[in-house]
Amino acid sequence: MENCTLYTHDIDMKKVLACIRAHFDESAITVKGQDNNWESVTTVSGKRFLRRGNSMTITFRQREVPGTALEEQSDDPVVTNLHNMYAYVQQLPAENEKLKGRLLEKITTINTEVAFLANPGFNGDFRAVIMEIALELDAIFFSEGNVIFRTDVQGFWDKTGALLLDVNGHSTATKLAVNVHPRYQMDVVM
């Protein structure tokens, strides 16, 4: 099994389902829940006669109250995870401190975690749709080595697959945009 997690400010998960449907035949897709409020999406790729193919299941969770800041005290499991992620990134070494600072800024704006779990692993079809979803949602990734991210260590990648920061402080990206939906602009100004 392989996995990776995408993190985004966006809360519109209909976009994920639209990307999946654009890449895979409806017969290869199983949606648990309603299209406008799904719990999980599973798709199969590479299924052929006498061959099971690879499966990928996508789930997500969101902040109880979307925003652009991390509240000090919160029982929200997503906010708790983001606090832990922020603390983790803070303690990492970085060849590019400015980029690390932008990553920390981006973490405070995250509203949604999207988890991808592939069995037995990711393939080219899954990689293509995951990267399209990342572009659509202006997301970042946290992952270890797999078909999508060729690495020996854990790290953060941008929506194009450029390395933002790994556990050794390395990066290949040179910039990271921190975009905020207009409805949250007042949060950023204050």
Side-chain angles (χ1 to χ4, degrees), residues 157-176:
W157 284 263
D158 73 6
K159 63 186 175 186
T160 68
L163 179 63
L164 294 167
L165 184 66
D166 71 14
V167 296
N168 298 318
H170 303 299
S171 60
T172 58
T174 57
K175 61 184 177 180
L176 175 63

Side-chain angles (χ1 to χ4, degrees), residues 89-160:
V89 171
Q90 275 187 313
Q91 59 85 31
L92 290 176
E95 295 169 348
N96 185 337
E97 286 290 336
K98 184 177 178 185
L99 187 61
K100 176 180 171 179
R102 295 296 287 174
L103 177 57
L104 289 167
E105 288 177 47
K106 184 98 170 176
I107 291 169
T108 66
T109 70
I110 292 170
N111 287 317
T112 306
E113 301 173 347
V114 182
F116 299 89
L117 179 63
N119 187 11
F122 293 114
N123 61 23
D125 292 337
F126 293 154
R127 182 186 193 289
V129 73
I130 289 170
M131 295 311 293
E132 182 178 316
I133 291 168
L135 286 170
E136 180 69 29
L137 298 178
D138 188 33
I140 61 171
F141 292 96
F142 180 73
S143 185
E144 54 192 19
N146 54 43
V147 168
I148 300 170
F149 304 106
R150 304 262 184 219
T151 182
D152 294 329
V153 297
Q154 291 180 327
F156 294 88
W157 284 263
D158 73 6
K159 63 186 175 186
T160 68

